[in-house]
Amino acid sequence: MPDRKAVAEYQAEKAVVRAFHDALDNSTPANIEQALAQFVSPDWHWRGMHPFHEQYGPEAVARVFWTPLRNALRPLQRRPDIFIAGRNAIDGGDSVWVTEMGHLMGLFERPWLGIRHTLRIVMLRYCEFNRVVDGKIVETAMFCDIPHLMMQAGQNPFPPQTGAMLVQPGPRTHTGLCYERQDPARGEATLAAIDAMLKNPGAKFHNKDEATRLARVWHDDMIWWGPAGIGATFTIERYVRQHSIPFDNALSAGYRFNGHIAKIAEGDFGGFFGWANLTLRNAGGYMGMTAGPAAADMRVIDMYRAQDGKLAENWIFIDILHYLAMQGLDVLKRMDAVQSGGG
């Protein structure tokens, strides 16, 4: 558990990330690299979803991700829903991470990654973990739901999903922006609720007993805000039917948990990310893929809201494009080929 005496340190790390976002949001495509360089280390390790993957240093991140995105969605407005900091439970509290989740909203003025521009408002879901050391960001995981943006542009790459496709709201309580110091005991309770879920994941929801087991760690009216391609579900019963059973039926073979890189909690909110958290094999049908012998990785971010000792809301980010690419389907290349008349 975090040292309560060290909680004040989080405010310094939060200030660095907030200043970083302010500089980034007020930069132009021409000076994004300079804005990044003020707040990150020269060897900054940045992890992004397919097709960005791992990048090092502000020049690479600006060139590969931020400059093209800012040229496509403009003006770009940051709309955060969760902002927390904490010591990493994975490394025994040695590192401090700051996490922000929300949407990047903009007018889709130019194509991005082959996704056609709509000239209308689009909302790009994102969640970013930043490790801060001595006033600099040294490591980042920046996940964004690219398939959800494709759907908003009328280019749905998937068969019908089991849940609902929504522009997802933030926490029901509207209390996710923890800019000020929080009671350490609440963060400890949130982390305990997340750990209870991880120890009792409720795999194989094919009978009433398993659904009952799930209810030990989740509220009955829980909300699971899944990524595009899977969708959102509401209540334990619908979560089991609309996500857990289809997921388990298709992906339980060869399932391997690889662990997480960072896991933090503050106030009623917490989450984790991995690279990759899971490795599993598609038995056929999931995301429209045929069965195959090759295992593929799922890079995942989970964010949670806890309430009264149980979990009430869960926002999921999965690098689905990378998962499919490892199975031989590059969704972005296929989409570009179709648009250019090559497929």
Side-chain angles (χ1 to χ4, degrees):
M1 291 296 181
D3 180 355
R4 297 192 184 199
K5 295 180 180 179
V7 170
E9 297 175 18
Y10 304 166
Q11 295 306 109
E13 282 81 8
K14 288 179 185 179
V16 169
V17 172
R18 293 187 71 185
F20 166 67
H21 287 161
D22 186 63
L24 178 60
D25 295 348
N26 287 288
S27 65
T28 67
N31 64 9
I32 287 176
E33 180 184 347
Q34 290 76 15
L36 295 175
Q38 296 178 62
F39 297 96
V40 305
S41 63
D43 59 349
W44 179 33
H45 184 188
W46 185 92
R47 296 177 177 92
M49 303 180 97
H50 179 88
F52 311 111
H53 304 288
E54 295 181 82
Q55 305 292 330
Y56 293 88
E59 185 278 331
V61 177
R63 172 173 44 82
V64 169
F65 181 73
W66 280 112
T67 299
L69 180 64
R70 290 285 296 275
N71 276 325
L73 273 61
R74 53 185 190 181
L76 191 65
Q77 185 180 99
R78 183 180 300 270
R79 301 177 68 87
D81 295 308
I82 294 175
F83 185 88
I84 60 173
R87 291 197 170 271
N88 184 5
I90 302 300
D91 64 12
D94 288 343
S95 59
V96 174
W97 292 75
V98 181
T99 300
E100 183 175 275
M101 187 201 82
H103 291 84
L104 298 173
M105 187 190 81
L107 296 173
F108 204 169
E109 292 288 296
R110 295 180 181 176
W112 184 58
L113 302 177
I115 306 169
R116 59 172 171 247
H117 58 303
T118 64
L119 304 180
R120 299 173 181 169
I121 290 175
V122 288
M123 305 282 279
L124 180 62
R125 297 178 65 226
Y126 75 92
C127 189
E128 183 184 73
F129 277 68
N130 288 295
R131 180 164 69 91
V132 182
V133 178
D134 296 331
K136 293 286 186 179
I137 298 169
V138 300
E139 190 174 359
T140 295
M142 176 63 178
F143 283 32
C144 53
D145 196 338
I146 297 169
H148 185 237
L149 187 70
M150 296 170 67
M151 291 180 177
Q152 293 174 70
Q155 294 174 274
N156 185 354
F158 303 125
Q161 58 189 26
T162 54
M165 199 289 281
L166 303 168
V167 173
Q168 298 178 3
R172 183 184 181 190
T173 56
H174 302 282
T175 56
L177 298 176
C178 300
Y179 295 135
E180 305 302 325
R181 290 184 179 91
Q182 304 296 307
D183 178 2
R186 295 183 73 171
E188 292 168 7
T190 297
L191 191 60
I194 294 171
D195 286 341
M197 180 276 303
L198 292 173
K199 294 174 183 176
N200 185 23
K204 298 187 181 298
F205 298 100
H206 291 87
N207 58 63
K208 184 177 180 181
D209 290 340
E210 294 298 338
T212 300
R213 187 160 66 94
L214 187 66
R216 296 172 187 166
V217 293
W218 291 92
H219 287 281
D220 289 341
D221 61 349
M222 58 89 78
I223 310 173
W224 193 83
W225 301 107
I230 300 174
T233 69
F234 178 37
T235 74
I236 287 178
E237 186 271 333
R238 292 300 167 87
Y239 169 75
V240 169
R241 184 192 307 178
Q242 295 176 346
H243 172 62
S244 298
I245 289 177
F247 188 94
D248 180 60
N249 285 342
L251 302 176
S252 60
Y255 178 99
R256 185 176 76 241
F257 173 62
N258 302 316
H260 307 306
I261 290 177
K263 181 174 63 176
I264 67 169
E266 187 180 30
D268 295 331
F269 300 88
F272 54 76
F273 85 91
W275 194 265
N277 316 55
L278 307 173
T279 301
L280 24 73
R281 188 171 68 251
N282 195 334
Y286 202 72
M287 299 288 177
M289 294 295 294
T290 57
D297 293 336
M298 278 195 173
R299 303 164 174 170
V300 181
I301 283 180
D302 272 50
M303 295 298 295
Y304 299 90
R305 178 176 69 85
Q307 180 179 318
D308 301 325
K310 290 186 178 183
L311 299 174
E313 293 186 85
N314 183 197
W315 295 262
I316 311 291
F317 296 77
I318 301 176
D319 194 348
I320 290 175
L321 297 183
H322 174 65
Y323 174 74
L324 294 175
M326 288 189 71
Q327 298 174 76
L329 174 60
D330 191 322
V331 172
L332 296 176
K333 285 186 178 180
R334 181 182 67 176
M335 179 182 63
D336 188 57
V338 169
Q339 290 188 139
S340 61

